[in-house]
Amino acid sequence: MVGRSKKPSAIPVPIPTPAPLVETSEDGSRVTATLPTGDSVEVLLYGATVISWKTANGQENLFVSSKAALDGSKAVRGGIPVVFPIFGPPPKTGPLSALSQHGFARTTRWEFLGKSSVEAMSHPSPTSPSTAAADLSDTTSPSVKLDFGLSASMLKDEERKAFPYQFGLTYSVTLAAGSLETVMHVQNQGETAFGFQVLMHTYLKVSDINQISLTGLSSTSYIDKVLSSTTHTSSSTPLTLTSETDRIYTSVPADLSHPVTVHQGQTPIFEIIRDGLTDVVTWNPWEEKAKGIRDFGPEGGWREMVCVEPGEVSKGVTVEGGDAWEGGQVVRSLL
Ligand code: TA6
């Protein structure tokens, strides 16, 4: 073996960044994505309902009732149901009266359009600018966007009659380290303008509702559905929940400096940043109401959830023929 005077230096081989794993369940009913960090999200095609969002520490951040139907037989009690084109009970008259509460989006099977690279809302966390580098636009920690589609042709006849417009919805769920983003894109594919309400009915999981307070809703106007939908102005102190709470905070500034933050005692645990969604609904049925909701469990489960629901519901949105509208939220787990 002839000795060689100078061995070539090893060429450094870049270690590939492990890619996010995206899988569809065997029965085709759900899509899961897992990051190399361990963060994961699970989406039921029925309603494009996020039914699980875990952060790297294995913590489940969403409440899903133990009695929730996950077989497509009815809207999921928990996770992030998608509310469109109406919020709340249907009107008593007119074509929309044929729709069910909160509209057809959460009770229709969506199409999984695939995963794509992140074009998510890049929001440095306003409460901790130092983590700006951890925002969704951060390319050092991989993240993945799952797209789901729903169009008029996928509706039942009676729903199409109730909402006779050529619309196309694209709902994007972006999982990043420590955060989950959900964005709704509404395309008017026809020539006739149409109006809609939209809301992301997020059930956040907490350890004890009695320790929960919400900031970011101070000094804003809200409709209190527990008090016959009368209008009030919230005080400057954080919102604490001590009984059934069902409020629509309206025209809450939706920009980086106005997150809604959920606190457990003195510890901030979730931060919700909105883009294009100026209403925030807060809901907890409390003990008696929860007992009356058949798919709400376990008993006492109401103590372990708070709904913070960004949307456009007080005024709704009108989209002209050929135009589009988009709005979304980034929920950051702070634990
Ligand atoms: O978002 C709050 C709310 O509108 C409450 O009034 C309550 O009805 C809740 O939604 C749950 O609605 P659902 O149709 O899922 O039972």
Side-chain angles (χ1 to χ4, degrees), residues 75-77 87-88 101-102 106 199 201 203 225 246 281-283 293 307 309:
V76 176
R77 175 68 57 205
F87 169 71
Q101 168 145 302
H102 290 334
R106 65 174 185 166
L199 173 128
H201 202 296
Y203 287 71
K225 289 167 64 174
D246 194 350
V281 173
T282 57
W283 180 60
I293 300 174
C307 278
E309 312 162 22

Side-chain angles (χ1 to χ4, degrees), residues 222-232 245-248:
Y222 68 89
I223 299 163
D224 193 328
K225 289 167 64 174
V226 174
L227 298 177
S228 312
S229 294
T230 45
T231 300
H232 305 260
T245 304
D246 194 350
R247 299 181 176 185
I248 306 171

Side-chain angles (χ1 to χ4, degrees), residues 59-88:
Q59 170 188 301
E60 175 57 71
N61 295 293
L62 299 177
F63 172 87
V64 174
S65 163
S66 58
K67 298 179 183 174
L70 300 178
D71 59 358
S73 59
K74 65 173 292 190
V76 176
R77 175 68 57 205
I80 309 179
V82 175
V83 171
F84 178 93
I86 60 168
F87 169 71

